[in-house]
């Protein structure tokens, strides 16, 4: 081999060695980052982030006519936000707005909207922009939860579950995210469920829809983050995983230990949701302990998880 050949081989070896050194350095840096974020996470368990102000924000809440949605609307209004209430139930929606105005807040608006209807969502979104302004915080709360054996669900009912619980999230995000991207500012909150983390009997389509919401939010967050060159976006995403909430949807709850696993009140759920949003927490369960319990259980063998589920004996019975 001539000198030029030897030089080329030497340069190639150097390039490979340099590439190897860079990979090792990147791995070490990754490990340092992981350790740092673990320590930060432990620290934040005891010293949480300060809650950011929502005064002056335009908050749109779907399913605001009752339950968690109503409590969210009331709480955001009390914090100085302009609240836009969407619900298919016009009477309940207007009652929420009237209650807000009875508190002394005047910046509350009611719109009848079926979130499963994409055309209607975009039409109402345009009205909101013209009459109220750009939505800065979107709370996707609307959902339905029929409780019955999977084989007893009609095709129409299964489609309706996904139309509202999943596609409703898609349509509202498509309607309001573009203006957030344009301003590089905003926050999207979606209510999944603990049934979106752990499958439960008599809730098969509902669980599937809430697992879908979880995936939607995780992927959407990464996609929006990737739009920024430095992968830092001012658009925040929060996914909420409530345990069984006393909204009337859970008609026949089953629990072995009601003193520690009782139904969560809508007001308690709303407080936790808003707290998570104001602290920019990406994932939060209501009560907060359940995500930690899930994290502990998941590495266990399958039979160990099933044994724990059987011991807790918590779930829902079929609606009559």
């Amino acid at each position: 081999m001539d000198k030029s050949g030897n030089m080329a081989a030497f340069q190639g070896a150097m390039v490979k060695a340099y590439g190897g050194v860079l990979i090792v350095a990147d791995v070490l840096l990754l490990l340092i980052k992981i350790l740092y974020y673990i320590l930060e996470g432990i620290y934040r368990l005891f010293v949480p982030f300060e809650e950011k102000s929502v005064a002056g924000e335009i908050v749109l809440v779907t399913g605001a006519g009752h339950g968690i949605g109503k409590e969210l609307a009331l709480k955001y209004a009390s914090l100085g936000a302009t609240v836009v209430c969407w619900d298919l139930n016009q009477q309940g929606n207007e009652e929420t707005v009237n209650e807000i105005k009875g508190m002394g807040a005047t910046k509350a608006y009611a719109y009848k909207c079926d979130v499963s209807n994409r055309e209607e969502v975009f039409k109402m979104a345009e009205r909101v922009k013209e009459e109220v302004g750009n939505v800065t915080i979107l709370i996707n709360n609307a959902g339905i939860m029929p409780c019955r054996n999977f084989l007893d669900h009609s095709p129409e009912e299964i489609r309706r579950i996904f139309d509202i619980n999943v596609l409703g999230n898609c349509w509202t995000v498509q309607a309001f995210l573009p203006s957030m991207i344009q301003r590089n500012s905003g926050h999207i909150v979606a209510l999944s469920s603990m049934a979106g983390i752990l499958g439960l009997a008599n809730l098969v389509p509902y669980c599937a829809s809430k697992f879908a919401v979880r995936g939607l939010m995780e992927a959407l967050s990464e996609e929006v983050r990737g739009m920024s060159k430095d992968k830092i976006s001012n658009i925040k995403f929060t996914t909420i995983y409530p345990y069984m909430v006393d909204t009337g949807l859970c008609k026949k709850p089953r629990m072995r230990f009601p003193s520690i696993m009782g139904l969560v009140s809508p007001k308690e759920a709303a407080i936790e949701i808003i707290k998570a949003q104001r602290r920019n927490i990406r994932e939060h369960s209501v009560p907060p302990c359940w995500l930690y319990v899930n994290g502990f259980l998941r590495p266990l063998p399958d039979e160990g998880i099933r044994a724990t589920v059987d011991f807790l004996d918590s779930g829902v019975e079929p609606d009559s």
Side-chain angles (χ1 to χ4, degrees), residues 22-319:
L22 285 180
I23 291 174
V24 171
D26 283 345
V27 170
L28 290 174
L29 179 60
L30 173 62
L31 293 175
I32 291 170
K33 286 182 177 180
I34 291 173
L35 178 60
Y36 169 80
Y37 291 128
I38 289 173
L39 294 174
E40 182 187 42
I42 295 172
Y43 173 73
R44 288 303 175 188
L45 286 175
F46 302 97
V47 186
F49 285 105
E50 184 178 349
E51 295 180 25
K52 62 187 179 183
S53 172
V54 293
E57 301 280 0
I58 298 178
V59 183
L60 188 146
V61 182
T62 67
H66 70 287
I68 297 174
K70 179 176 182 176
E71 295 297 335
L72 285 169
L74 293 171
K75 183 63 176 175
Y76 272 114
S78 73
L79 293 170
T82 297
V83 179
V84 178
C85 299
W86 277 16
D87 203 297
L88 190 58
N89 181 345
Q90 187 172 359
Q91 180 179 346
N93 208 30
E94 290 177 352
E95 287 174 358
T96 299
V97 168
N98 290 335
E99 194 167 334
I100 289 172
K101 292 180 178 179
M103 296 164 38
T106 57
K107 296 182 179 179
Y109 305 84
Y111 295 87
K112 181 180 179 181
C113 184
D114 178 359
V115 296
S116 69
N117 186 322
R118 188 176 188 272
E119 183 178 343
E120 188 171 331
V121 166
F122 274 74
K123 179 181 177 180
M124 289 299 107
E126 191 61 33
R127 276 192 61 188
V128 169
K129 182 178 180 180
E130 293 174 355
E131 298 173 7
V132 185
N134 285 314
V135 169
T136 58
I137 301 174
L138 170 64
I139 314 289
N140 275 321
N141 162 75
I144 59 173
M145 191 182 78
C147 304
R148 65 183 96 255
N149 183 281
F150 178 66
L151 297 179
D152 293 335
H153 281 283
S154 68
E156 294 75 20
E157 188 173 55
I158 292 174
R159 289 191 185 95
R160 187 63 177 162
I161 291 170
F162 277 83
D163 281 345
I164 296 174
N165 295 4
V166 182
L167 295 181
N169 282 257
C170 294
W171 308 149
T172 56
V173 169
Q174 285 189 336
F176 295 109
L177 180 59
S179 65
M180 293 182 183
I181 292 174
Q182 188 176 18
R183 301 188 313 272
N184 190 27
S185 177
H187 203 133
I188 296 176
V189 179
L191 269 69
S192 179
S193 170
M194 286 307 298
I197 288 180
L198 179 69
L200 296 172
N202 302 315
L203 287 175
V204 175
Y206 178 79
C207 287
S209 72
K210 292 303 184 178
F211 268 82
V213 170
R214 181 185 183 189
L216 169 69
M217 289 292 284
E218 185 171 313
L220 189 61
S221 174
E222 282 303 296
E223 185 167 283
V224 172
R225 188 173 74 94
M227 293 178 181
S228 174
K229 291 182 180 180
D230 54 6
K231 292 192 175 182
I232 298 176
S233 173
N234 290 323
I235 301 172
K236 307 300 181 183
F237 296 85
T238 296
T239 309
I240 303 293
Y241 305 99
Y243 176 63
M244 291 185 285
V245 182
D246 190 13
T247 60
L249 293 179
C250 189
K251 296 179 177 63
K252 293 184 178 180
R254 185 187 72 252
M255 55 197 74
R256 183 180 180 184
F257 304 105
S259 59
I260 60 174
M261 298 178 66
L263 295 180
V264 177
S265 72
K267 184 172 291 187
E268 178 187 350
I271 290 171
E272 285 294 327
I273 292 166
I274 294 174
K275 188 186 299 181
Q277 182 268 313
R278 294 179 69 190
R279 289 177 176 168
N280 293 330
I281 297 174
R282 285 189 63 187
E283 293 189 305
H284 189 69
S285 63
V286 182
C289 64
W290 287 116
L291 272 186
Y292 300 109
V293 171
N294 179 71
F296 171 78
L297 291 177
R298 282 302 177 181
L300 297 179
D302 286 345
E303 294 307 319
I305 296 174
R306 291 194 176 99
T308 305
V309 169
D310 291 344
F311 171 76
L312 294 175
D313 192 21
S314 177
V316 296
E317 299 295 343
D319 295 341

